[in-house]
Amino acid sequence: MSRNDMNRIATRFELRAKEGRKLLIPYFTAGDPKPENAVPMMHAMVEAGADLIELGVPFSDPMAEGPVIQKAMERALEHHVSLKDVMEMVAEFRQKDTETPVILMGYLNPVEIMGYQEFAQSASKAGVDGILTVDIPPEEASDYVKAMKNEGIDRIFLISPTTTEQRIKAINDASGGFLYYVSLKGVTGAGHLDINAVQDRVSTIRSLTDLPVGVGFGIKDAESAASIANVADAVVVGSAIVKRIEENLDSADNAMKAVCELLTEMRQALDS
Amino acid sequence: MAEAETKYQQPDDKGHFGVYGGLFVAETLMEPLTELRLAYEKYMVDKDFLAELDWELQNYVGRPSPLYLAERWSRELGGAKIYLKREDLNHTGAHKINNTVGQALLAKRMGKTRIIAETGAGQHGVATATVCARLGLECIVYMGQVDIERQAANVYRMKLLGAKVVPVTAGSATLKDALNEAMRDWVTNIDDTFYIIGTVAGPHPYPAMVRDFQTIIGREARDQIQQHEGRLPNALVACVGGGSNAIGLFHPFIDDKDVAIYGVEAAGDGIETGNHAAPLCAGKPGVLHGNRTYLIEDNDGQIIETHSISAGLDYPGVGPEHAWLKDIGRAEYVAISDTEALQAFHDLTKIEGIIPALESSHALGYAAKLAPTMDKDKIIIVNLSGRGDKDIHTVATLEGINV
């Protein structure tokens, strides 16, 4: 199947919109705690109700992460998990799952060192659908956007509580797939979620875009997932999942079980 | 006309020094960085602000710092005359305070009440804590756990000055990780917090702003050498970690094409050993800490731990303007090993009665190589960026002496 035959991200959002359901997007760091855990974890997440998987690319200096994801990246880096390795994991995942969209989330330097074009080509070949690079704002991203677009890789950018309307428009122009609203000022895993403020901001964003809007940062359990789902098209859960992996470092099976329990609860809360 | 066309003017309005610099941060920081840039652009041409800065630099920091002819050392080396720009004589003992005074005054004008900073050796942390004490601002300093253990005296100085020192255990628990942690604090507390970065790195406007606060070094040196010698020097030498003391000396001379410029990185155990902190000499371009610049990194784009005897040079990146000056060939970047720096540390101490910081000893180590290759009527200015009292313990330990 060539890359133009389908866009898994758009397809999934359209399907869920028709069903009146919201997307559940779990995040975990590829290679945490071990490289061989990644692909089974991805399949298990899909089984438990994940709509799209956000796979973290380990980086030595993850400036926007809270302590939970920082440690996950350190665990993965102990096994020298590289950007290339992460794409190989996605390729392996695609042998059994050709429908669930996968996006990579990480920092610019590994992509920069590989080269935007080479990255985009390899990612497309591996079956990656989108990329979220935390530290490249659209102002610096024209070559990056061009390279990703050429290979059909969606560009997911963050919008924060401090982003001006003018910049939301610029971010929308550079984006593909969906927009990702960061629900709070802070790092991943922070704890002060204000649903009313999120609702206001998401409606502003909606007035400026045709893309679906996902919300992440600070979503910990089924209850907060459900309240975010009332205002957004997709709910992104990261640190809460990584925390469960961290609590089960001695057993990959237990880690998978704990993650799936959380996702199942969230899935039920979103669908009810 | 021709002259105006060739005038050096960097960065562009988006903070790019050629292909380097820029603004590579998480979205939440875009707005506070815009706010900072607007304040910086406004106050750097504001007469009241500049007068206040000037007063502080004169009366609190103790500027101008002398330009001192190291006569005995020059004679011993047998070549060019070496002048030392005595930044070691500033309040707190290094050039760092030129910048912290400037940024803290800017923070006050912006109505920010909480100051955060990162520090490696502790010099920038001390300079920040000092200014915060002076201005009555809350001060939080992020410092790697490894550095806290290496630099206990500076940790205590910061605490005496009323700052809170927060240990950082993530990653390699050194300067780069302290910077990551300060960024995380800023992203969480942007409403009331001002982040004082200690060097000419970070996202725009930091590399330009920190440079502008440090160019007082080069502007004074330019006037002083003309008073002493009636002409400009033949060469400038300064050490480069992030590169703020170096750019401060170099920048006012960039259009003087006859003045050679040398930036000296830390070769550590030797470039060939891989244990060094010399991104310009041995690294490659990448993106870290908000800007594109030369980095010490592996083939996967992960940042590698660095090594230098001098904690202040122990950083895997370098200011983007240095990256640009290297690429356009306006400055030459060289590296001096731990051993060579130590030799210069001892020589200056014994011959001139000046104990230099280990950082500055790298610049001195290169000057000691350069001077003998030049005629006696030639002039070198070395930036003596800090005093070495803080390093006594390190040097003594290396020599097996318990102090």
Side-chain angles (χ1 to χ4, degrees), chain A residues 57-66 70 74 77 80-84 108-114 116 134-140 158-164 167 171 182 184-187 190 192, chain B residues 14 16 21-32 34 169-172 176-177 179-181 183-185 187-191 284-290 292 295 297-304:
Chain A
V57 180
F59 182 51
S60 54
D61 294 78
M63 285 193 306
E65 311 300 342
Q70 282 176 47
E74 286 176 18
L77 285 174
H80 304 283
V81 174
S82 68
L83 181 54
K84 207 168 143 260
L108 184 59
N109 202 48
V111 178
E112 174 109 351
I113 293 307
M114 183 174 284
Y116 298 157
V134 176
D135 54 348
I136 189 165
E139 286 86 341
E140 298 283 358
L158 301 174
I159 293 175
S160 86
T162 58
T163 308
T164 60
R167 294 199 65 257
I171 290 169
V182 174
L184 47 83
K185 294 175 196 166
V187 293
H192 39 281
Chain B
K14 300 261 170 62
H16 297 117
L23 198 51
F24 295 89
V25 292
E27 179 57 30
T28 310
L29 289 178
M30 290 300 287
E31 205 40 41
T34 303
T169 53
S172 57
K176 75 175 179 69
D177 309 288
L179 213 151
N180 293 334
E181 205 55 36
M183 285 277 185
R184 293 181 187 118
D185 178 313
V187 100
T188 310
N189 300 293
I190 49 179
D191 294 333
K284 56 180 193 271
V287 173
L288 179 71
H289 292 153
R292 183 178 281 122
L295 299 174
E297 59 195 324
D298 67 16
N299 291 331
D300 298 329
Q302 309 293 354
I303 307 307
I304 299 176

Side-chain angles (χ1 to χ4, degrees), chain A residues 90-109:
Chain A
V90 178
E92 195 188 328
F93 173 75
R94 283 276 170 257
Q95 291 172 6
K96 286 192 198 156
D97 187 330
T98 55
E99 283 176 10
T100 308
V102 176
I103 66 173
L104 303 187
M105 179 185 193
Y107 292 78
L108 184 59
N109 202 48

Side-chain angles (χ1 to χ4, degrees), chain B residues 176-257:
Chain B
K176 75 175 179 69
D177 309 288
L179 213 151
N180 293 334
E181 205 55 36
M183 285 277 185
R184 293 181 187 118
D185 178 313
W186 199 26
V187 100
T188 310
N189 300 293
I190 49 179
D191 294 333
D192 66 345
T193 298
F194 189 106
Y195 179 17
I196 300 189
I197 292 186
T199 191
V200 285
H204 183 59
Y206 284 101
M209 177 172 70
V210 176
R211 173 197 72 197
D212 290 350
F213 287 133
Q214 291 292 2
T215 51
I216 184 82
I217 302 171
R219 281 182 276 130
E220 284 177 7
R222 211 168 187 285
D223 287 348
Q224 288 165 322
I225 197 68
Q226 293 188 87
Q227 282 165 26
H228 291 315
E229 296 278 352
R231 66 183 183 87
L232 294 180
N234 299 91
L236 306 173
V237 181
C239 65
V240 178
S244 69
N245 90 82
I247 211 76
L249 175 65
F250 298 166
H251 194 263
F253 293 92
I254 288 177
D255 285 326
D256 302 308
K257 301 289 184 221

